[in-house]
Every structure is written in C-alpha cells, then in structure tokens.
Amino acid sequence: MGAVSAGSGRRPSADDLLVLLAVGRSGRFVSAAEELGINHTTISRRIAALEHSLGGRVLTRAAGGWELTDLGREALAAAEVVESAVTSLAADTGGNRVLQGVVRISATDGFSAYLAAPAAAEVQRQHPKIAVEIVATTRRASTQRSGLDLEVVVGEPQVHRATAIRLSDYCLGLYGARDYLREHGTPASIEDLAQHPLVYFIDSMLQVDDLDLASSFAPAMRESVTSTNVFVHVEATRAAAGIGLLPCFMADRHADLTRVLAAEVSVKLAYWLVARAETLRRPEVAAFVDALRAKVGDQRAALLGLRR
C-alpha cells in the first residue's frame, strides 16, 4: 500500500469500511476477498480509496499478513457500527435478530472434539445461520491470526495486539490399560516408572513448552508409541503400548483405562483463548465464545480429573 499524505475531504464509503472490517479480522486480502465474494484487486483498490478519504494508512505489513494501524482501528470501530446496522435488518418472522456468519477456531485435538464441537452444535441450534469451522492442531498462539477468528492454546500465550482469556485449568495423569497392568504390574512409585514405556507426544515435533515440560517427572521412561495427536495417545494406551500421559477428561471416558500414581502425578495445565479484540465484538463470535465458556464450565470437574 502506498503512503497517503492528506485526506480528500470525502466521507468514507460504507462499502470500503466493510472491506477494511474483513481484512482487519483475517489479516489477509485473500481471506477477505473470499468472505466478501470479490477479487483481491478490488480489496486493494477499496483499501486505497479508504486511505485516500481518511488521509492516512489503515493497514501496515506484518509477518504473514496485515495489521491495523491506529487510524485503521478507529476506522474499524466505525465499520463495526455499519455492519451492526446492516445485520440488524436481518430478523426472523418474530422480529428477532438473526445472527449469521462463519466462526473459525483453531484448538487442540481433545479440546476440539469434546468442548469446541459441542459448543458449536449448541450455537447451531440457537443460531442456524452461524457456521463454525474447527481446525484441530496443537501449537503456540500465532503471531498472525490470518484466516482464524479464535485460537485455543495450552499455556499462557505471549501475544501482540490480541486478547488472551484463560478458559480453564485441566489435568494430565498417568493411565494404563487393565491388560497392560495385569501383565507388567502397576507402578507403585515414581521410580517404578523407569520399568515402563511412555505413550506421549513426539519430542522433536512438540511446539508447546508446557506440554514438553509435562513429562519431566519421569525422564527415565523410554518412549513407546508417540504421536502429534492425543487421540492416538489414548488409543495406544488402551492397546497396551505402555503407560500414557493423558488428559484426564479424555482418559476417564474409557472404563478399560486405570489411572496410576494419581497422588504423585497430576500435571496441571491451562487452556487459553486468543483473539483480536475486534473479532470478539462480532455478534456471531461472541455467541460462540459464550457457548464455549458455558461448555467449559459444565466440564470443569472432568477437566480437572475429578469425575469418572
């Protein structure tokens, strides 16, 4: 985007403001173009027109996409008012406001399946025109949330120009299949763990520091089956591959798994929700976040390993 030295004195176009809103939420021209059903060139032209009318830059280049400038954030606030006015016209036969749009969330595998998916289903029941896209992945919070509205990560994130909300603590514990423990014995102490293989993440591919530190209580345990996917950990443990370090809210669903050394090994981690402040103000996103927090609250005991 070229530099803009002075405003034209024209009133900003509402259409241009809505284009800025789409770019500001995704951080990418391509994503905004897909959302709005126009091409990349039109996005660029409308942003340039908006900058000309405002007399300053609304976007600045950042790693992986675009960030709002101070002027851009002011313009985006106005764009949200325009969007709210437009969407308020959409109502059902009873005159109730109809929420619509797409909410894109990235979260870990277990959280996606047992918390995000049920929350999405609840939102769908209440607001059928809201679509929720869930990307299951285990990683640090992105420096650019391009193409994503929300991220759920493990451990407190260090984020720039974003809001981080602590959703809940959760616990990891050691579990063994009944058949495995019958054949190899149940460890009675931390020292006994050296005699057992560990089912957990692949060390060299683990991107989350808190998860990497979680297994430090038993450095003598040799690796057994390792994976980037926690569902693989659960199923490998159920198949007697070794002792699994598993999220309690996932392992406790299976009657064939027995928790071992519960008093000695209870690793507490935390789920955090990360989003741009402007994204959280979108009505469809706010509706999903409310449903997600309610689901997390309902599952608090299970997350902490207090329910079987």
Side-chain angles (χ1 to χ4, degrees), residues 234-248:
V234 173
E235 294 307 315
T237 303
R238 295 182 70 198
I243 300 290
L245 180 58
L246 309 174
C248 296

mmCIF file with all atom_site columns, all heavy atoms in Angstrom, residues 234-248:
data_model
loop_
_atom_site.group_PDB
_atom_site.id
_atom_site.type_symbol
_atom_site.label_atom_id
_atom_site.label_alt_id
_atom_site.label_comp_id
_atom_site.label_asym_id
_atom_site.label_entity_id
_atom_site.label_seq_id
_atom_site.pdbx_PDB_ins_code
_atom_site.Cartn_x
_atom_site.Cartn_y
_atom_site.Cartn_z
_atom_site.occupancy
_atom_site.B_iso_or_equiv
_atom_site.pdbx_formal_charge
_atom_site.auth_seq_id
_atom_site.auth_comp_id
_atom_site.auth_asym_id
_atom_site.auth_atom_id
_atom_site.pdbx_PDB_model_num
ATOM 1  N N   . VAL A 1 234 ? -4.327  -41.914 23.477 1.00 0.00 ? 234 VAL A N   1
ATOM 2  C CA  . VAL A 1 234 ? -5.369  -42.636 24.211 1.00 0.00 ? 234 VAL A CA  1
ATOM 3  C C   . VAL A 1 234 ? -5.521  -44.046 23.671 1.00 0.00 ? 234 VAL A C   1
ATOM 4  O O   . VAL A 1 234 ? -5.536  -45.031 24.435 1.00 0.00 ? 234 VAL A O   1
ATOM 5  C CB  . VAL A 1 234 ? -6.715  -41.877 24.141 1.00 0.00 ? 234 VAL A CB  1
ATOM 6  C CG1 . VAL A 1 234 ? -7.835  -42.714 24.750 1.00 0.00 ? 234 VAL A CG1 1
ATOM 7  C CG2 . VAL A 1 234 ? -6.611  -40.534 24.871 1.00 0.00 ? 234 VAL A CG2 1
ATOM 8  N N   . GLU A 1 235 ? -5.626  -44.176 22.358 1.00 0.00 ? 235 GLU A N   1
ATOM 9  C CA  . GLU A 1 235 ? -5.865  -45.499 21.775 1.00 0.00 ? 235 GLU A CA  1
ATOM 10 C C   . GLU A 1 235 ? -4.648  -46.400 21.897 1.00 0.00 ? 235 GLU A C   1
ATOM 11 O O   . GLU A 1 235 ? -4.787  -47.623 22.075 1.00 0.00 ? 235 GLU A O   1
ATOM 12 C CB  . GLU A 1 235 ? -6.295  -45.365 20.314 1.00 0.00 ? 235 GLU A CB  1
ATOM 13 C CG  . GLU A 1 235 ? -7.656  -44.692 20.141 1.00 0.00 ? 235 GLU A CG  1
ATOM 14 C CD  . GLU A 1 235 ? -8.733  -45.369 20.980 1.00 0.00 ? 235 GLU A CD  1
ATOM 15 O OE1 . GLU A 1 235 ? -8.802  -46.616 21.002 1.00 0.00 ? 235 GLU A OE1 1
ATOM 16 O OE2 . GLU A 1 235 ? -9.525  -44.646 21.623 1.00 0.00 ? 235 GLU A OE2 1
ATOM 17 N N   . ALA A 1 236 ? -3.441  -45.843 21.807 1.00 0.00 ? 236 ALA A N   1
ATOM 18 C CA  . ALA A 1 236 ? -2.228  -46.653 22.006 1.00 0.00 ? 236 ALA A CA  1
ATOM 19 C C   . ALA A 1 236 ? -2.150  -47.158 23.439 1.00 0.00 ? 236 ALA A C   1
ATOM 20 O O   . ALA A 1 236 ? -1.741  -48.302 23.694 1.00 0.00 ? 236 ALA A O   1
ATOM 21 C CB  . ALA A 1 236 ? -0.994  -45.834 21.656 1.00 0.00 ? 236 ALA A CB  1
ATOM 22 N N   . THR A 1 237 ? -2.543  -46.317 24.387 1.00 0.00 ? 237 THR A N   1
ATOM 23 C CA  . THR A 1 237 ? -2.559  -46.739 25.790 1.00 0.00 ? 237 THR A CA  1
ATOM 24 C C   . THR A 1 237 ? -3.595  -47.827 26.003 1.00 0.00 ? 237 THR A C   1
ATOM 25 O O   . THR A 1 237 ? -3.328  -48.836 26.683 1.00 0.00 ? 237 THR A O   1
ATOM 26 C CB  . THR A 1 237 ? -2.852  -45.537 26.705 1.00 0.00 ? 237 THR A CB  1
ATOM 27 O OG1 . THR A 1 237 ? -1.885  -44.506 26.475 1.00 0.00 ? 237 THR A OG1 1
ATOM 28 C CG2 . THR A 1 237 ? -2.791  -45.937 28.171 1.00 0.00 ? 237 THR A CG2 1
ATOM 29 N N   . ARG A 1 238 ? -4.745  -47.681 25.411 1.00 0.00 ? 238 ARG A N   1
ATOM 30 C CA  . ARG A 1 238 ? -5.792  -48.712 25.515 1.00 0.00 ? 238 ARG A CA  1
ATOM 31 C C   . ARG A 1 238 ? -5.346  -50.028 24.881 1.00 0.00 ? 238 ARG A C   1
ATOM 32 O O   . ARG A 1 238 ? -5.767  -51.106 25.309 1.00 0.00 ? 238 ARG A O   1
ATOM 33 C CB  . ARG A 1 238 ? -7.074  -48.226 24.842 1.00 0.00 ? 238 ARG A CB  1
ATOM 34 C CG  . ARG A 1 238 ? -7.711  -47.024 25.510 1.00 0.00 ? 238 ARG A CG  1
ATOM 35 C CD  . ARG A 1 238 ? -8.996  -46.635 24.810 1.00 0.00 ? 238 ARG A CD  1
ATOM 36 N NE  . ARG A 1 238 ? -10.043 -47.626 25.027 1.00 0.00 ? 238 ARG A NE  1
ATOM 37 C CZ  . ARG A 1 238 ? -11.140 -47.742 24.302 1.00 0.00 ? 238 ARG A CZ  1
ATOM 38 N NH1 . ARG A 1 238 ? -11.334 -46.927 23.263 1.00 0.00 ? 238 ARG A NH1 1
ATOM 39 N NH2 . ARG A 1 238 ? -12.037 -48.653 24.577 1.00 0.00 ? 238 ARG A NH2 1
ATOM 40 N N   . ALA A 1 239 ? -4.462  -49.926 23.879 1.00 0.00 ? 239 ALA A N   1
ATOM 41 C CA  . ALA A 1 239 ? -3.961  -51.130 23.196 1.00 0.00 ? 239 ALA A CA  1
ATOM 42 C C   . ALA A 1 239 ? -2.740  -51.718 23.888 1.00 0.00 ? 239 ALA A C   1
ATOM 43 O O   . ALA A 1 239 ? -2.071  -52.595 23.341 1.00 0.00 ? 239 ALA A O   1
ATOM 44 C CB  . ALA A 1 239 ? -3.632  -50.788 21.747 1.00 0.00 ? 239 ALA A CB  1
ATOM 45 N N   . ALA A 1 240 ? -2.429  -51.251 25.108 1.00 0.00 ? 240 ALA A N   1
ATOM 46 C CA  . ALA A 1 240 ? -1.352  -51.811 25.937 1.00 0.00 ? 240 ALA A CA  1
ATOM 47 C C   . ALA A 1 240 ? 0.039   -51.509 25.398 1.00 0.00 ? 240 ALA A C   1
ATOM 48 O O   . ALA A 1 240 ? 0.956   -52.311 25.523 1.00 0.00 ? 240 ALA A O   1
ATOM 49 C CB  . ALA A 1 240 ? -1.544  -53.318 26.122 1.00 0.00 ? 240 ALA A CB  1
ATOM 50 N N   . ALA A 1 241 ? 0.209   -50.306 24.806 1.00 0.00 ? 241 ALA A N   1
ATOM 51 C CA  . ALA A 1 241 ? 1.529   -49.920 24.306 1.00 0.00 ? 241 ALA A CA  1
ATOM 52 C C   . ALA A 1 241 ? 2.439   -49.399 25.419 1.00 0.00 ? 241 ALA A C   1
ATOM 53 O O   . ALA A 1 241 ? 3.651   -49.271 25.215 1.00 0.00 ? 241 ALA A O   1
ATOM 54 C CB  . ALA A 1 241 ? 1.392   -48.853 23.230 1.00 0.00 ? 241 ALA A CB  1
ATOM 55 N N   . GLY A 1 242 ? 1.870   -49.108 26.586 1.00 0.00 ? 242 GLY A N   1
ATOM 56 C CA  . GLY A 1 242 ? 2.662   -48.576 27.684 1.00 0.00 ? 242 GLY A CA  1
ATOM 57 C C   . GLY A 1 242 ? 1.793   -47.742 28.606 1.00 0.00 ? 242 GLY A C   1
ATOM 58 O O   . GLY A 1 242 ? 0.565   -47.843 28.586 1.00 0.00 ? 242 GLY A O   1
ATOM 59 N N   . ILE A 1 243 ? 2.461   -46.926 29.430 1.00 0.00 ? 243 ILE A N   1
ATOM 60 C CA  . ILE A 1 243 ? 1.758   -46.007 30.317 1.00 0.00 ? 243 ILE A CA  1
ATOM 61 C C   . ILE A 1 243 ? 1.570   -44.690 29.564 1.00 0.00 ? 243 ILE A C   1
ATOM 62 O O   . ILE A 1 243 ? 2.533   -44.103 29.063 1.00 0.00 ? 243 ILE A O   1
ATOM 63 C CB  . ILE A 1 243 ? 2.556   -45.758 31.608 1.00 0.00 ? 243 ILE A CB  1
ATOM 64 C CG1 . ILE A 1 243 ? 2.789   -47.063 32.365 1.00 0.00 ? 243 ILE A CG1 1
ATOM 65 C CG2 . ILE A 1 243 ? 1.834   -44.738 32.496 1.00 0.00 ? 243 ILE A CG2 1
ATOM 66 C CD1 . ILE A 1 243 ? 1.566   -47.655 32.987 1.00 0.00 ? 243 ILE A CD1 1
ATOM 67 N N   . GLY A 1 244 ? 0.349   -44.219 29.471 1.00 0.00 ? 244 GLY A N   1
ATOM 68 C CA  . GLY A 1 244 ? 0.076   -42.988 28.754 1.00 0.00 ? 244 GLY A CA  1
ATOM 69 C C   . GLY A 1 244 ? -0.058  -41.797 29.681 1.00 0.00 ? 244 GLY A C   1
ATOM 70 O O   . GLY A 1 244 ? -0.671  -41.903 30.748 1.00 0.00 ? 244 GLY A O   1
ATOM 71 N N   . LEU A 1 245 ? 0.546   -40.675 29.293 1.00 0.00 ? 245 LEU A N   1
ATOM 72 C CA  . LEU A 1 245 ? 0.319   -39.403 29.995 1.00 0.00 ? 245 LEU A CA  1
ATOM 73 C C   . LEU A 1 245 ? -0.795  -38.712 29.226 1.00 0.00 ? 245 LEU A C   1
ATOM 74 O O   . LEU A 1 245 ? -0.584  -38.171 28.139 1.00 0.00 ? 245 LEU A O   1
ATOM 75 C CB  . LEU A 1 245 ? 1.595   -38.558 30.007 1.00 0.00 ? 245 LEU A CB  1
ATOM 76 C CG  . LEU A 1 245 ? 1.500   -37.194 30.713 1.00 0.00 ? 245 LEU A CG  1
ATOM 77 C CD1 . LEU A 1 245 ? 1.069   -37.348 32.172 1.00 0.00 ? 245 LEU A CD1 1
ATOM 78 C CD2 . LEU A 1 245 ? 2.824   -36.443 30.624 1.00 0.00 ? 245 LEU A CD2 1
ATOM 79 N N   . LEU A 1 246 ? -2.004  -38.752 29.790 1.00 0.00 ? 246 LEU A N   1
ATOM 80 C CA  . LEU A 1 246 ? -3.201  -38.397 29.049 1.00 0.00 ? 246 LEU A CA  1
ATOM 81 C C   . LEU A 1 246 ? -4.026  -37.328 29.763 1.00 0.00 ? 246 LEU A C   1
ATOM 82 O O   . LEU A 1 246 ? -4.057  -37.283 31.000 1.00 0.00 ? 246 LEU A O   1
ATOM 83 C CB  . LEU A 1 246 ? -4.093  -39.637 28.868 1.00 0.00 ? 246 LEU A CB  1
ATOM 84 C CG  . LEU A 1 246 ? -3.437  -40.891 28.303 1.00 0.00 ? 246 LEU A CG  1
ATOM 85 C CD1 . LEU A 1 246 ? -4.430  -42.050 28.325 1.00 0.00 ? 246 LEU A CD1 1
ATOM 86 C CD2 . LEU A 1 246 ? -2.929  -40.645 26.888 1.00 0.00 ? 246 LEU A CD2 1
ATOM 87 N N   . PRO A 1 247 ? -4.729  -36.493 28.998 1.00 0.00 ? 247 PRO A N   1
ATOM 88 C CA  . PRO A 1 247 ? -5.688  -35.578 29.625 1.00 0.00 ? 247 PRO A CA  1
ATOM 89 C C   . PRO A 1 247 ? -6.767  -36.400 30.340 1.00 0.00 ? 247 PRO A C   1
ATOM 90 O O   . PRO A 1 247 ? -7.363  -37.303 29.745 1.00 0.00 ? 247 PRO A O   1
ATOM 91 C CB  . PRO A 1 247 ? -6.282  -34.815 28.435 1.00 0.00 ? 247 PRO A CB  1
ATOM 92 C CG  . PRO A 1 247 ? -5.290  -34.957 27.332 1.00 0.00 ? 247 PRO A CG  1
ATOM 93 C CD  . PRO A 1 247 ? -4.681  -36.308 27.526 1.00 0.00 ? 247 PRO A CD  1
ATOM 94 N N   . CYS A 1 248 ? -7.008  -36.089 31.588 1.00 0.00 ? 248 CYS A N   1
ATOM 95 C CA  . CYS A 1 248 ? -7.969  -36.872 32.367 1.00 0.00 ? 248 CYS A CA  1
ATOM 96 C C   . CYS A 1 248 ? -9.366  -36.839 31.747 1.00 0.00 ? 248 CYS A C   1
ATOM 97 O O   . CYS A 1 248 ? -10.086 -37.840 31.771 1.00 0.00 ? 248 CYS A O   1
ATOM 98 C CB  . CYS A 1 248 ? -8.022  -36.355 33.807 1.00 0.00 ? 248 CYS A CB  1
ATOM 99 S SG  . CYS A 1 248 ? -6.472  -36.555 34.712 1.00 0.00 ? 248 CYS A SG  1
#
